[in-house]
Amino acid sequence: MSLPCRSIVDLGELVQALSVPDRERFERIFRVNSTVGELRAPDSMHEWIKKYFGSVEAVQRQRIVKVTNLITLEGALFNELRASRPMEARAGSDLLQTILSNVGDPFCQPLEGTPEDVFGRVQGKHCLTASNVAKCDTFHGLVIANEHNPLVFSAEGIRDYLDTALKWARKAHNVDKEARYFFFLWNCLWKSGASILHGHTQMTLGRGIHYAKVESLRRAALLYRIGHGANYFEDLYTVHKALGLTVDYQTARLLAYITPIKEKEVLLISERPDDHLKHAIYKVLQCFVERLGVTSFNLALYMRPIDSVPEDWSGFPVVVRVVDRGDPHNKTADFGAMELYGNSVISSNPFQVADALRGLFAEG
Ligand SMILES: [Zn+2]
């Protein structure tokens, strides 16, 4: 029925099979280096290796692919051994137990348990804003979901969280016209950095310059346009589409990114933060939680400043990034020195992520 999923470690060959224009576009943005790592395992290890990796041969010769985004200088290392492992998993009942045992936290009664911003609160249908107690910027707010369990969300709810956050940004901007750089983020469960378990997202409105990673992406895209006379985000999408790594939903474009920051990273690109994009975000999170067994994730939304600024943001779309942060009950952190200072080491296969997304979107 369905074709076997392609592997990211075959990326070099898959790129060679592209049409010349697609290959040229790919090579403008990415460099792929394929290699093989070999080892010799003592007999005493064979049983253990078979149990975890299927066969001794699979471990003795491992194909590895290093993918570098030459425009943004993001880099990923994929190992066949890791990438070939199945991704399906489900949230265990002990996780649900932990979540439910926290009912009654300050976010369950936000009017008593949280402060409000100097301009008050924004009331959504499924949420209420609060001011963050320990701020990371002049304006740093929270969208507190009515629903305690962060893994229980609806399409309407997610649209409401974003609409409420954007309303909050306009209120903040009315208080301080210099604050123009909006940033929306969602840390879900402690593995992702969330200190409160109750479902909530965060937003900031900053002054002067956007956050370094967003500004870096703006500059990279600007240099790309100067160098190649093309929109970086358009080309990034086209390259992923040629490889079968995209899904379109109305005006929103989704791609299983080949230089992900960590596991299963999906990028959503849209001209505006419109309802199509909000629905697509919901579908991606639904896919993560229901199909790919994700329980802890980070989401960030980049967009143009909400008022005029001196620097050039033309051609910069709304970009949403969503990444799996691993099993909340695993004590080992998913980010090590490699991820912080070298390249991200990735176990998931972007082709599998794209297949899962396509499957869910095809169901409507
Ligand atoms: Zn709660």
Side-chain angles (χ1 to χ4, degrees):
M1 217 174 81
S2 61
L3 294 165
C5 189
R6 290 169 298 162
S7 171
I8 190 69
V9 290
D10 294 324
L11 188 61
E13 293 83 48
L14 293 168
V15 170
Q16 290 312 307
L18 295 177
S19 70
V20 173
D22 279 337
R23 197 170 70 228
E24 285 175 355
R25 197 178 290 112
F26 182 94
E27 286 167 354
R28 279 209 303 247
I29 302 182
F30 293 105
R31 181 167 301 166
V32 178
N33 291 94
S34 303
T35 188
V36 174
E38 292 185 276
L39 57 77
R40 287 194 292 266
D43 290 347
S44 53
M45 280 190 76
H46 287 192
E47 275 314 303
W48 179 86
I49 289 173
K50 278 184 209 157
K51 189 174 162 202
Y52 285 95
F53 299 103
S55 74
V56 176
E57 295 71 39
V59 172
Q60 277 174 340
R61 247 183 92 77
Q62 309 174 20
R63 290 190 303 155
I64 294 151
V65 64
K66 179 167 68 182
V67 188
T68 308
N69 182 324
L70 303 168
I71 309 306
T72 61
L73 293 175
E74 295 165 289
L77 294 162
F78 296 94
N79 175 317
E80 187 175 34
L81 262 192
R82 296 164 181 263
S84 61
R85 295 165 91 173
M87 292 197 295
E88 286 74 27
R90 291 224 163 240
S93 57
D94 49 344
L95 179 62
L96 185 63
Q97 211 59 51
T98 307
I99 292 171
L100 294 180
S101 70
N102 259 268
V103 168
D105 62 34
F107 288 8
C108 283
Q109 285 95 29
L111 290 174
E112 294 82 41
T114 67
E116 63 175 28
D117 281 293
V118 289
F119 49 83
R121 297 183 192 263
V122 182
Q123 175 78 62
K125 198 173 162 207
H126 299 269
C127 60
L128 179 70
T129 67
S131 192
N132 203 318
V133 173
K135 297 193 180 309
C136 65
D137 214 328
T138 325
F139 295 102
H140 183 183
L142 306 169
V143 164
I144 299 175
N146 296 346
E147 167 64 49
H148 170 81
N149 186 339
L151 296 173
V152 173
F153 47 78
S154 63
E156 203 195 320
I158 285 179
R159 190 172 68 224
D160 189 50
Y161 304 161
L162 277 155
D163 289 343
T164 303
L166 286 162
K167 269 185 209 154
W168 173 94
R170 283 191 288 275
K171 284 202 169 209
H173 183 61
N174 283 337
V175 172
D176 178 1
K177 292 286 180 199
E178 295 294 311
R180 296 168 176 142
Y181 298 95
F182 177 70
F183 190 70
F184 177 88
L185 67 143
W186 186 345
N187 299 331
C188 181
L189 294 183
W190 57 93
K191 196 88 179 178
S192 73
S195 55
I196 301 271
L197 205 147
H198 185 114
H200 69 285
T201 67
Q202 302 181 47
M203 58 280 179
T204 61
L205 196 71
R207 300 166 64 133
I209 184 168
H210 212 319
Y211 296 136
K213 289 201 158 75
V214 193
E215 174 65 8
S216 167
L217 182 59
R218 183 191 71 83
R219 291 183 186 201
L222 197 61
L223 289 175
Y224 187 84
R225 188 172 74 202
I226 292 165
H228 304 291
N231 182 290
Y232 165 70
F233 302 97
E234 284 284 330
D235 279 5
L236 184 73
Y237 165 79
T238 308
V239 157
H240 281 78
K241 189 178 175 68
L243 288 163
L245 288 164
T246 60
V247 178
D248 295 347
Y249 175 76
Q250 308 281 353
T251 49
R253 293 162 154 191
L254 290 73
L255 51 98
Y257 194 31
I258 57 171
T259 47
I261 183 136
K262 203 58 196 176
E263 305 306 333
K264 309 182 185 82
E265 192 181 26
V266 173
L267 306 192
L268 296 94
I269 299 173
S270 173
E271 183 48 32
R272 266 173 281 282
D274 58 18
D275 285 353
H276 297 317
L277 176 69
K278 291 167 204 161
H279 192 74
I281 292 171
Y282 162 71
K283 296 290 271 185
V284 170
L285 295 178
Q286 187 191 12
C287 182
F288 267 39
V289 173
E290 291 178 12
R291 302 281 164 95
L292 299 173
V294 175
T295 50
S296 186
F297 59 82
N298 292 114
L299 179 150
L301 181 142
Y302 300 169
M303 59 184 262
R304 293 182 289 270
I306 62 168
D307 203 348
S308 59
V309 290
E311 73 274 11
D312 183 2
W313 286 84
S314 60
F316 193 97
V318 181
V319 180
V320 179
R321 309 183 65 154
V322 193
V323 67
D324 174 17
R325 296 303 306 277
D327 178 359
H329 291 307
N330 184 346
K331 277 189 188 163
T332 308
D334 59 343
F335 276 62
M338 271 303 269
E339 283 76 12
L340 290 172
Y341 301 123
N343 264 18
S344 292
V345 182
I346 311 294
S347 301
S348 55
N349 175 7
F351 288 100
Q352 254 180 309
V353 174
D355 280 358
L357 285 173
R358 248 193 307 274
L360 189 68
F361 275 87
E363 290 169 16

